[in-house]
Amino acid sequence: MSKSKLTPRAEYAKLLGEIKSRIQTSQTRAVLSVNAELVRLYWDIGRILDDRQIKEGYGTGVIPRLAKDIRNELPEVKGFSERNIDSMLRFHRAYPQPEGLSQQAVAKLTSPQVSQLPAAKDQKATISPQSVANIAESLLWLIPWGHHTVLLSKVKDLNHRLWYMQQTLHHGWSRNVLGLMIDNQSHQRQGNAITNFPERLPPAQSDLVVQSLKDPYIFDFLTLTEPFLERELETNLLRHLEKFLLELGKGFAFVGRQYHIDVGDDDDFYIDLLFYHLHLRCFVVIDLKTGAFKPEYAGKMNFYLSVVDDKLRHAQDAPSIGLILCQDRNRVVAEYALRGMNKPIGISEYQVTRALPKELASSLPTIEAIEAELAETPKAEPKQTRKPRKKGGKR
């Protein structure tokens, strides 16, 4: 079969997505470079304060005094509020020896996390502990100060903090986006999808694609109530396309919804959602399913990918990948379903509301407990109501 070209609209979407990505990456790098010296200054001020507190016994009262005196003597200098100076002290204490971060923390990073660090783009390269230390130190200075304050307040584990630093640098996350990613526990969901990528893709590409998918995806920006139809889910995701793309991750460019693919003379098929990934250089087919995963979904996705590769994929593109999003999936069933597929497919769950933390969920009363309590509560005496007065009567 001859490969048909992308529609002008789809081709333009691909072009626009690539240019936007280049602009945003360039802007982010410029901002990070300017911030590096400021972050070093704040760390050094934190070091001075920490040393003085240890040697001369300065208490916490010195920070409000410093903030006041700096404001009076250097009124044009911003960023030295009492709160910010306290953050500088905490920042130094969190990273007392930036050059030695690998000795205790970075060495514990999992291999997928290490492989994504800036100096490790060549998947075949071996990263020494000292190289990882240098990478971690460079991350420390390149992340903007506002991001550091969010990380210090929200992420206690040093390994997780380093992971979020690296992702911020790689994806160009704003401070608000970083906070959202932390709230959604992104470090626990990255690379958890069930896939057959190691068997269907070259090792270097497989690792990169695996880390581009999550499990589960959280669509808590939707207002759907169950039960809902797949078409409703699809419509609402596109209504919130910006948030949907943010949850998918950097690099996804939207191509089309219910994308028509012509197979044969009389058969028409429609792909739920079609994307092009600017970094993976491949089409991504997303199939949305309500309910639990079924083995036949993998066969349908395999078919879609065969058609996309034949009709849409360009010679320089990598093999198209598929992502089946369902509300629930049995790991064993999913792995068996993918075993016979010859196209790269991933299976992930999605949630339209964020699950309650275990400690909070366990403290909430059950429906049975509420009903039992209501049954035991004595009914209140009905209040006496006044008889309505007749019109014209005395008050």
Side-chain angles (χ1 to χ4, degrees):
M1 290 186 182
S2 60
K3 296 182 180 180
S4 61
K5 294 182 179 179
L6 285 173
T7 63
R9 181 179 177 184
E11 191 67 61
Y12 178 76
K14 181 179 174 182
L15 172 67
L16 177 62
E18 184 171 0
I19 292 176
K20 281 174 59 180
S21 178
R22 295 285 180 88
I23 293 172
Q24 290 166 347
T25 299
S26 177
Q27 289 175 331
T28 300
R29 286 175 177 170
V31 171
L32 294 179
S33 176
V34 170
N35 274 276
E37 189 59 35
L38 181 66
V39 175
R40 285 181 182 274
L41 170 65
Y42 286 170
W43 181 90
D44 200 41
I45 291 174
R47 178 190 60 79
I48 294 171
L49 284 172
D50 196 35
D51 288 346
R52 294 296 176 88
Q53 285 190 348
I54 293 171
K55 293 177 181 178
E56 301 181 25
Y58 284 161
T60 56
V62 73
I63 292 179
R65 182 179 174 184
L66 270 174
K68 180 180 177 181
D69 289 342
I70 292 173
R71 184 171 62 251
N72 290 337
E73 298 186 24
L74 298 170
E76 73 282 0
V77 176
K78 306 299 181 183
F80 288 89
S81 65
E82 181 180 335
R83 181 177 179 181
N84 211 34
I85 294 175
D86 183 64
S87 294
M88 296 174 202
L89 179 59
R90 292 193 298 119
F91 182 56
H92 171 265
R93 287 175 174 172
Y95 313 103
Q97 295 179 320
E99 70 282 355
L101 281 176
S102 70
Q103 301 302 318
Q104 296 178 348
V106 184
K108 297 178 182 178
L109 288 171
T110 60
S111 56
Q113 291 168 328
V114 173
S115 68
Q116 288 190 55
L117 291 169
K121 291 181 179 179
D122 180 1
Q123 300 289 327
K124 296 179 181 180
T126 301
I127 308 175
S128 67
Q130 187 55 46
S131 297
V132 177
N134 295 336
I135 294 167
E137 185 185 359
S138 68
L139 285 175
L140 197 64
W141 309 130
L142 290 175
I143 300 304
W145 176 246
H147 291 59
H148 278 302
T149 60
V150 172
L151 287 166
L152 286 172
S153 64
K154 289 194 170 193
V155 184
K156 304 304 178 186
D157 186 89
L158 177 56
N159 299 298
H160 296 161
R161 256 188 264 138
L162 289 170
W163 186 87
Y164 281 110
M165 287 183 204
Q166 187 274 324
Q167 295 299 312
T168 295
L169 189 62
H170 179 68
H171 295 294
W173 288 343
S174 68
R175 182 166 53 179
N176 289 338
V177 170
L178 172 62
L180 178 64
M181 292 300 175
I182 294 171
D183 291 341
N184 284 343
Q185 298 288 298
S186 292
H187 68 282
Q188 294 181 351
R189 300 186 289 128
Q190 204 80 26
N192 287 340
I194 299 174
T195 75
N196 62 356
F197 297 157
E199 294 80 27
R200 299 291 176 260
L201 296 171
Q205 187 185 7
S206 172
D207 291 343
L208 190 58
V209 176
V210 165
Q211 290 305 311
S212 298
L213 302 186
K214 304 174 185 174
D215 182 59
Y217 286 87
I218 298 177
F219 304 143
D220 57 356
F221 49 84
L222 301 180
T223 56
L224 293 170
T225 55
E226 296 193 40
F228 53 83
L229 301 175
E230 291 166 6
R231 190 58 60 87
E232 288 180 89
L233 174 64
E234 177 187 310
T235 301
N236 276 269
L237 286 176
L238 293 189
R239 192 172 295 157
H240 300 83
L241 182 59
E242 185 176 354
K243 294 179 180 178
F244 181 35
L245 288 172
L246 181 62
E247 176 62 10
L248 286 178
K250 184 180 180 181
F252 283 86
F254 180 63
V255 176
R257 166 198 179 192
Q258 289 298 309
Y259 193 91
H260 174 250
I261 49 176
D262 185 14
V263 180
D265 296 329
D266 303 316
D267 294 326
D268 292 325
F269 295 90
Y270 297 86
I271 294 171
D272 285 350
L273 298 169
L274 182 63
F275 293 85
Y276 187 86
H277 201 289
L278 301 170
H279 304 300
L280 302 176
R281 295 290 172 184
C282 69
F283 286 98
V284 180
V285 176
I286 295 183
D287 202 13
L288 300 172
K289 297 296 181 184
T290 57
F293 170 79
K294 296 179 182 178
E296 53 264 35
Y297 296 162
K300 182 179 179 183
M301 177 59 76
N302 200 73
F303 166 76
Y304 282 155
L305 292 173
S306 295
V307 178
V308 169
D309 276 344
D310 188 65
K311 291 184 171 289
L312 300 181
R313 177 185 169 197
H314 293 181
Q316 65 271 26
D317 288 338
S320 304
I321 62 174
L323 176 60
I324 302 170
L325 290 177
C326 50
Q327 288 177 287
D328 187 26
R329 52 113 179 92
N330 180 294
R331 175 170 289 274
V332 176
V333 172
E335 289 175 350
Y336 271 120
L338 293 181
R339 189 174 295 180
M341 300 295 115
N342 60 7
K343 295 293 183 181
I345 300 172
I347 303 169
S348 292
E349 295 179 347
Y350 67 86
Q351 301 171 4
V352 293
T353 55
R354 198 179 309 167
L356 286 172
K358 291 182 179 179
E359 61 274 13
L360 178 59
S362 62
S363 67
L364 295 177
T366 62
I367 296 297
E368 292 78 8
I370 295 173
E371 290 177 344
E373 186 175 342
L374 290 174
E376 293 175 3
T377 303
K379 293 182 179 178
E381 297 261 341
K383 293 182 179 180
Q384 294 183 349
T385 56
R386 293 182 179 181
K387 293 182 180 180
R389 295 180 180 274
K390 294 180 180 180
K391 288 186 178 180
K394 295 182 180 179
R395 292 185 180 274

